[in-house]
């Protein structure tokens, strides 16, 4: 939910305060800030993250990033086409007023499930250079001094 929180550093400080010492945190966030669009606004996202920004936010909040990777890279091209089509429609006077994910039916669900399963298997062997989402696994640093100066 980090993309839905305006004060991400304050939220992460609260998470740290309620977690057990040395706890782990697994999160996923939308990637590629340059993809931020009306779609994100309708979903009430404040931002999308780059790999560097997500790691910086977590480290400044007292976490050690154990792993941070892109995922949903096989669907990246389809998402780019969909966002492009949204931009064309908006310029023609039909701006999006809701998020319509549609219904892909049983066959479409099966295909998407297989694509995501393949991506999960490939993702263990190789890191994707891009994707629609990022996930991060991190651990609370013991006796960390928080650096929130770059958020003020």
């Amino acid at each position: 939910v980090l993309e839905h929180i305006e004060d991400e550093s304050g939220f992460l400080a609260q998470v740290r305060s309620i977690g057990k010492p040395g706890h782990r945190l697994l999160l996923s966030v939308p990637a590629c800030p340059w993809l931020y669009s009306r779609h994100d606004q309708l979903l009430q996202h404040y931002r999308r993250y780059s790999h560097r920004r997500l790691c910086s936010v977590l480290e400044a909040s007292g976490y050690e990033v154990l792993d941070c990777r892109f995922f949903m890279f096989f669907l990246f091209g389809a998402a780019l086409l969909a966002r492009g089509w949204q931009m064309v429609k908006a310029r023609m006077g039909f701006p999006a007023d809701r998020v319509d994910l549609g219904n892909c039916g049983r066959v479409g669900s099966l295909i998407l499930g297989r694509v995501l399963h393949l991506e999960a298997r490939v993702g263990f062997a190789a890191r994707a250079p891009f994707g629609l989402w990022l996930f991060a696994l991190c651990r609370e640093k013991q006796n960390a001094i928080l650096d929130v100066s770059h958020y003020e």
Side-chain angles (χ1 to χ4, degrees):
V1 297
L2 202 55
E3 69 274 9
H4 295 279
I5 311 276
E6 189 171 9
D7 179 14
E8 62 192 357
S9 59
F11 174 76
L12 288 168
Q14 285 182 332
V15 170
R16 275 193 74 217
S17 73
I18 62 173
K20 292 181 181 181
H23 67 269
R24 291 179 184 226
L25 177 65
L26 176 66
L27 54 89
S28 65
V29 294
C32 302
W34 54 271
L35 270 179
Y36 189 86
S37 68
R38 180 75 178 139
H39 176 83
D40 293 284
Q41 292 168 347
L42 291 169
L43 292 172
Q44 299 177 352
H45 292 176
Y46 283 97
R47 69 198 70 79
R48 289 179 153 267
Y49 289 84
S50 67
H51 188 279
R52 180 176 295 162
R53 171 124 195 269
L54 179 58
C55 291
S56 286
V57 166
L58 291 167
E59 289 168 0
S61 298
Y63 286 96
E64 172 190 1
V65 178
L66 303 173
D67 198 1
C68 185
R69 297 180 186 214
F70 289 103
F71 67 100
M72 294 195 76
F73 52 90
F74 285 157
L75 300 174
F76 195 82
L80 282 179
L81 289 173
R83 295 292 168 83
W85 178 239
Q86 286 175 349
M87 289 173 56
V88 167
K89 288 189 339 186
R91 286 193 177 140
M92 293 171 45
F94 302 101
D97 60 353
R98 64 188 174 95
V99 175
D100 184 13
L101 299 177
N103 184 347
C104 61
R106 188 174 177 161
V107 172
S109 290
L110 180 66
I111 292 169
L112 285 173
R114 300 278 178 166
V115 167
L116 292 174
H117 179 76
L118 175 62
E119 178 173 323
R121 293 184 64 128
V122 170
F124 283 110
R127 290 182 179 269
F130 56 86
L132 293 173
W133 286 78
L134 280 162
F135 81 82
L137 174 62
C138 47
R139 175 177 47 222
E140 180 195 27
K141 293 180 196 171
Q142 295 300 306
N143 303 318
I145 298 172
L146 302 184
D147 175 18
V148 294
S149 61
H150 64 281
Y151 295 111
E152 297 174 356

